[in-house]
Amino acid sequence: MSYLFNLVKSLNESEVGQFKILNLTGKEKLVRDEYANRASEKKFDESSLLSKFQFTKSHFDKINSVLLDKAVTLFAGTELENKLDFLLNKQLTDLILHELKVTEKKLKKQRDKVVLKKFYAQAFRITMAFNFNNFPIGQIEYYCKCFIELLSPKEAAEKYQTLAKLQETLIRYYYQRKDGARKRDIAMKKLLQWQIELKDRKLFEAEVGINLAFSSYYETTEPEKGLYYLQEADKVARKVYDKIADHDKSFLLAMMANHLVDLNRYEEGIVKYQELFLKFPHLAGVRIYHPFSYAFVLLILKDFKRAAEVMEKYLQPFLKNENARNYHFDILRLYAIYHLLNHETKQAGNYLQQILQLSKEDFTPLGDVLFRLVHNIYCAQTGDYSLAADVLKKNIKYIDSKSDIEGMSAYKKMFLDFGKVIRFKSKGNALNASFPPGKIETGVGIARLYQDLIKLP
């Protein structure tokens, strides 16, 4: 599928209308009309246009390239930063990487170091905002290196801040990946060295970055310590708040909310999420992670109305965008959970069925385990406890086959707890607030929601 057709498929109804009236003539207009009219077709064969309009492939590619540039300019203007943000909002990550490659080639010919430095800063920022499902590690490290090399000695704060930001993200990325612990420790050693180099230099923006990175290292193992470093980052940021980019301000708020939730301080986490989406709604909604987590916490607190509002406003656009299909799995699972909690079993089943139609490539083994748990709970909610028990056995066997992946043991415990509930309910017993006494723990952080599902009455 071409970059142009991917763009057209990501447009909403209003944007398609604007695309249709873009001032074009001749063959560009013909191709534009074909794409605009076929945007909803999943199996449209673009190569059919070559024979239909008697194009050579090179001619067709050139028309596509020109049309693509005009379309992106129509919606985002001529500034690169605006174009990149627009494309990220549409989840057109392949197109972003293509745009960066083409732009870099042009700018290198100009040999203007100031312009190149600005470009590499933008390239680093935008690729760092990709979801971990399609995280371009190689390109991110490359853009970081190129940017650092163009900084002057006087720009030490920016240098260390950028280096820390890269390590912070790598620490988070490598969690729950094979050999992740070793790579995270390597990143931590770098951060500790940079902290020594920064001592007493009053490079506050850099100190913010270092503290954020320390927080990422501890967030999954020692959330209290992770929150401490976030609070330290916030204290330092206040000294130079006007120099801190909105992207970093919003990220700091989001991670504070996330850590508070991990510590079961849900109400405090909600306050931070509310502040985040009030002050930085666009930045907070570009990545699925933040609205997804916000909705999760609202479901834990049984605030179903607000959860539905967040899901509709921030997650539905991802679900409607075919180019964001890597995120459909998580969103559909969240909708299934929402309906299970509301005892709307049929609706939950519909979302689970949609997940079963997805390619296995769209989710990780850990994601697969979470789906299996929700599906298993659905089976029990239908009242078919025999089926639920059979499915449970298969799921535990699957988990055992993935025991080399960090975190699997905690998930296995959830399934074993669920087995206790199935056996109890299959005998005609009704669950109550005290069942089973001391045998099923209250979940921690976001996992609390899955424990609530397990104990559904």
Side-chain angles (χ1 to χ4, degrees):
M1 196 176 297
S2 69
Y3 294 130
L4 175 61
F5 195 44
N6 272 334
L7 171 62
V8 175
K9 289 177 71 66
S10 74
L11 301 178
N12 58 38
E13 187 175 342
S14 173
E15 289 167 338
V16 170
Q18 295 177 59
F19 181 62
K20 283 182 176 180
I21 60 174
L22 183 61
N23 187 21
L24 301 169
T25 58
K27 294 176 180 178
E28 289 179 15
K29 184 177 183 299
L30 290 175
V31 174
R32 185 274 312 278
D33 291 345
E34 287 287 333
Y35 280 174
N37 293 331
R38 294 173 178 265
S40 61
E41 295 182 18
K42 291 187 177 181
K43 296 184 178 180
F44 171 53
D45 181 8
E46 295 174 78
S47 64
S48 64
L49 298 184
L50 276 73
S51 56
K52 181 173 183 177
F53 297 122
Q54 298 298 299
F55 293 148
T56 63
K57 187 175 185 308
S58 61
H59 188 192
F60 182 61
D61 289 344
K62 185 175 181 179
I63 291 173
N64 264 259
S65 180
V66 172
L67 260 177
L68 177 65
D69 185 63
K70 289 182 177 180
V72 173
T73 301
L74 169 69
F75 296 114
T78 58
E79 290 294 322
L80 178 64
E81 184 173 10
N82 294 335
K83 287 182 177 182
L84 295 175
D85 285 337
F86 170 77
L87 296 177
L88 181 63
N89 188 52
K90 294 297 184 182
Q91 299 304 310
L92 295 166
T93 51
D94 287 342
L95 180 50
I96 288 174
L97 295 176
H98 170 74
E99 186 77 20
L100 291 174
K101 186 177 181 179
V102 171
T103 303
E104 181 187 24
K105 188 175 181 180
K106 291 179 181 176
L107 294 181
K108 277 187 171 181
K109 291 179 181 179
Q110 297 177 14
R111 298 185 178 182
D112 186 327
K113 289 186 177 181
V114 174
V115 174
L116 260 179
K117 184 174 74 171
K118 181 179 179 182
F119 164 77
Y120 285 126
Q122 292 174 338
F124 178 68
R125 175 187 67 81
I126 205 72
T127 49
M128 287 275 284
F130 283 22
N131 191 278
F132 286 162
N133 287 346
N134 55 358
F135 210 52
I137 292 291
Q139 287 96 330
I140 289 171
E141 292 181 325
Y142 169 74
Y143 292 133
C144 178
K145 177 177 176 291
C146 292
F147 176 67
I148 295 298
E149 288 177 349
L150 291 171
L151 292 175
S152 70
K154 293 181 179 180
E155 296 173 298
E158 199 162 4
K159 170 189 171 181
Y160 283 106
Q161 182 185 33
T162 304
L163 289 170
K165 190 173 293 185
L166 173 62
Q167 297 308 317
E168 171 217 323
T169 305
L170 292 179
I171 286 170
R172 195 170 285 112
Y173 173 79
Y174 284 123
Y175 178 68
Q176 294 185 339
R177 283 176 168 80
K178 289 183 179 180
D179 202 27
R182 183 183 67 84
K183 292 177 179 177
R184 284 156 56 89
D185 287 342
I186 290 173
M188 189 58 156
K189 288 179 181 178
K190 292 179 181 179
L191 291 165
L192 290 169
Q193 178 59 41
W194 295 333
Q195 185 184 47
I196 294 171
E197 294 173 16
L198 287 171
K199 189 176 181 181
D200 299 326
R201 294 178 66 179
K202 296 185 178 181
L203 302 177
F204 299 121
E205 298 99 313
E207 288 181 36
V208 171
I210 294 290
N211 280 303
L212 282 172
F214 284 157
S215 175
S216 71
Y217 184 84
Y218 292 109
E219 68 181 33
T220 52
T221 55
E222 301 178 62
E224 283 278 9
K225 205 167 185 177
L227 180 60
Y228 165 78
Y229 281 113
L230 281 174
Q231 292 168 336
E232 288 299 300
D234 187 57
K235 287 179 187 176
V236 179
R238 298 294 168 179
K239 297 177 181 179
V240 285
Y241 208 60
D242 59 325
K243 295 182 180 179
I244 302 294
D246 283 351
H247 293 92
D248 296 325
K249 291 175 183 176
S250 65
F251 183 75
L252 183 54
L253 267 174
M255 295 317 298
M256 289 184 76
N258 182 68
H259 276 67
L260 288 166
V261 169
D262 283 344
L263 292 166
N264 289 2
R265 293 160 63 175
Y266 300 112
E267 289 80 4
E268 293 175 76
I270 284 292
V271 170
K272 290 295 182 184
Y273 274 127
Q274 289 174 332
E275 184 181 356
L276 171 67
F277 282 88
L278 178 64
K279 291 183 176 179
F280 309 104
H282 173 68
L283 294 173
V286 168
R287 290 184 70 168
I288 183 179
Y289 180 78
H290 304 311
F292 186 82
S293 298
Y294 187 16
F296 247 68
V297 182
L298 289 168
L299 290 179
I300 288 171
L301 295 177
K302 302 295 187 292
D303 191 340
F304 298 120
K305 181 180 178 182
R306 273 202 294 171
E309 290 171 353
V310 171
M311 291 157 65
E312 178 66 26
K313 183 173 182 179
Y314 293 104
L315 299 181
Q316 269 294 320
F318 284 94
L319 201 54
K320 292 177 180 178
N321 184 351
E322 183 64 21
N323 294 310
R325 56 188 173 274
N326 282 337
Y327 314 132
H328 291 182
F329 167 75
D330 287 324
I331 298 171
L332 291 170
R333 187 179 75 248
L334 179 60
Y335 271 89
I337 291 171
Y338 171 86
H339 288 294
L340 286 172
L341 289 170
N342 283 283
H343 304 283
E344 297 166 345
T345 310
K346 183 177 180 180
Q347 291 94 321
N350 290 337
Y351 284 106
L352 293 171
Q353 187 60 39
Q354 290 182 56
I355 292 176
L356 289 171
Q357 306 305 312
L358 298 176
S359 168
K360 284 286 186 181
E361 296 176 356
D362 289 336
F363 43 94
T364 64
L366 285 174
D368 193 4
V369 168
L370 289 173
F371 164 70
R372 288 167 181 263
L373 179 61
V374 176
H375 178 260
N376 218 159
I377 291 166
Y378 161 78
C379 293
Q381 196 173 94
T382 66
D384 193 338
Y385 298 116
S386 177
L387 173 62
D390 288 341
V391 172
L392 179 66
K393 291 178 183 177
K394 294 177 182 177
N395 286 335
I396 290 177
K397 186 176 180 180
Y398 173 80
I399 292 174
D400 287 339
S401 73
K402 305 291 183 181
S403 59
D404 60 330
I405 299 177
E406 188 177 352
M408 278 296 178
S409 59
Y411 288 112
K412 183 175 181 178
K413 188 179 185 310
M414 285 187 183
F415 280 88
L416 293 174
D417 283 347
F418 182 54
K420 298 173 187 176
V421 173
I422 292 175
R423 288 190 292 275
F424 186 81
K425 292 185 71 174
S426 65
K427 296 177 182 178
N429 299 315
L431 297 184
N432 55 48
S434 62
F435 170 85
K439 292 185 178 180
I440 294 183
E441 300 173 5
T442 298
V444 177
I446 283 180
R448 162 77 175 274
L449 186 59
Y450 292 100
Q451 293 285 19
D452 289 346
L453 277 173
I454 288 172
K455 295 186 286 186
L456 275 175

